[in-house]
Amino acid sequence: MQIENSQKKWAIYIAIFAIIGFCLFPMPWIANFDPIVTFLVGLSMVIIGTFQFLIFLDKARQMDKLLNNKNVISRWKVDYEIWKEFVNIDATVLKEKIRKVFFFTVVAFLFMMAYSFFEFKNHLHALFFVLFLGVVFAIIFGLIWFEIMYLNQKRQNRDTGEVIIAHNCLTLNDEFHVLSDFGNGLEGIVYYDAERILEFKYSYIGARFRRKNLDVRVPVPATEEAQLQKVLKHFGV
């Protein structure tokens, strides 16, 4: 199975985003665009795009090293039966994440709805605000749901897998995770013996500079026990 460097694709997408922002600068002279708004939007796109492009460019470099077997701790392939079993088990975990996200989304929406009717004296204004919140929360949940389901579907469409683990990052097929770099920090590793699944827990800096937790699970075939022990020993588990 040929694994593509997914981070190179993201670097290209982000570069296009920054270029579009740069192309906005002359628009006030070409079309009837507001010069101040256009400049601020374009500048924001260029700054954010350039910053993200440099991050994904470095991630692409690290992923290239993994794919070329440089600085690799362990590497193993997963056959059809083990991969399908892993996907089915992990699908349950992903669906549980969706249920949790839905629960917290509903709770947050109900809280904000109650607050709005208490805060706004005009019930019509409160109603419009609640409708606006409903759309916002629906979009947020929809994006998270799409991301999780897309990941599950992408795994379902594969017949085999490959795991590559380095000291600060890993790949599961073309899924790339930085465990301890770019503000990310490895929080712990858990091995589920019954399911033969190795789970890496790490955190990253999200919106508003708050740390968010994420986990990535990889299957471990019984034939790769020696590779598993190398990983556990390296990370002191």
Side-chain angles (χ1 to χ4, degrees):
M1 178 182 62
Q2 184 67 31
I3 300 177
E4 295 183 3
N5 192 325
S6 58
Q7 305 308 296
K8 286 183 179 179
K9 291 182 179 179
W10 278 106
I12 293 173
Y13 298 152
I14 296 298
I16 293 173
F17 177 81
I19 291 171
I20 292 174
F22 184 78
C23 291
L24 287 177
F25 292 151
M27 291 307 294
W29 290 273
I30 299 175
N32 190 26
F33 282 33
D34 185 277
I36 297 178
V37 174
T38 304
F39 174 77
L40 291 177
V41 172
L43 183 63
S44 298
M45 292 177 67
V46 170
I47 293 175
I48 294 172
T50 302
F51 179 71
Q52 291 295 322
F53 171 75
L54 294 175
I55 290 178
F56 277 104
L57 195 64
D58 194 69
K59 285 184 176 181
R61 178 184 59 80
Q62 293 193 57
M63 191 170 181
D64 263 339
K65 286 185 177 180
L66 284 189
L67 298 179
N68 291 306
N69 217 34
K70 295 179 180 179
N71 302 323
V72 170
I73 300 169
S74 292
R75 181 174 190 163
W76 62 78
K77 295 184 181 295
V78 184
D79 63 23
Y80 177 83
E81 291 185 1
I82 301 297
W83 177 254
K84 290 303 180 183
E85 182 180 0
F86 163 73
V87 170
N88 291 332
I89 293 174
D90 211 52
T92 304
V93 176
L94 295 176
K95 289 176 181 178
E96 181 62 27
K97 287 183 178 180
I98 292 177
R99 283 193 288 268
K100 288 182 179 179
V101 170
F102 180 75
F103 172 78
F104 286 115
T105 302
V106 170
V107 170
F109 174 71
L110 292 176
F111 174 80
M112 292 300 296
M113 183 175 66
Y115 174 79
S116 63
F117 278 105
F118 175 79
E119 183 69 19
F120 289 98
K121 303 302 181 182
N122 188 319
H123 290 299
L124 185 61
H125 291 172
L127 180 61
F128 279 118
F129 184 69
V130 167
L131 291 175
F132 172 75
L133 284 177
V135 172
V136 171
F137 279 112
I139 292 174
I140 293 173
F141 175 76
L143 290 173
I144 296 174
W145 176 87
F146 176 80
E147 181 183 8
I148 293 176
M149 294 306 296
Y150 173 75
L151 175 61
N152 180 58
Q153 188 60 48
K154 186 171 70 170
R155 291 177 176 179
Q156 292 280 4
N157 291 337
R158 288 189 176 272
D159 294 327
T160 59
E162 184 172 2
V163 178
I164 312 174
I165 301 174
H167 73 282
N168 73 320
C169 55
L170 66 86
T171 61
L172 175 60
N173 294 333
D174 60 347
E175 301 169 27
F176 183 70
H177 297 269
V178 177
L179 305 174
S180 56
D181 202 355
F182 302 108
N184 295 10
L186 182 63
E187 304 295 335
I189 299 175
V190 180
Y191 177 62
Y192 301 97
D193 187 57
E195 301 172 338
R196 297 202 64 84
I197 289 177
L198 186 62
E199 182 180 72
F200 293 82
K201 299 177 181 291
Y202 69 97
S203 62
Y204 64 97
I205 300 176
R208 299 180 183 178
F209 300 99
R210 294 179 179 177
R211 297 203 71 83
K212 295 186 177 181
N213 296 319
L214 190 66
D215 57 77
V216 53
R217 296 152 58 90
V218 300
V220 184
T223 54
E224 302 293 347
E225 183 66 28
Q227 296 296 322
L228 170 64
Q229 294 305 319
K230 285 173 62 178
V231 174
L232 296 178
K233 181 180 179 181
H234 177 84
F235 290 102
V237 179

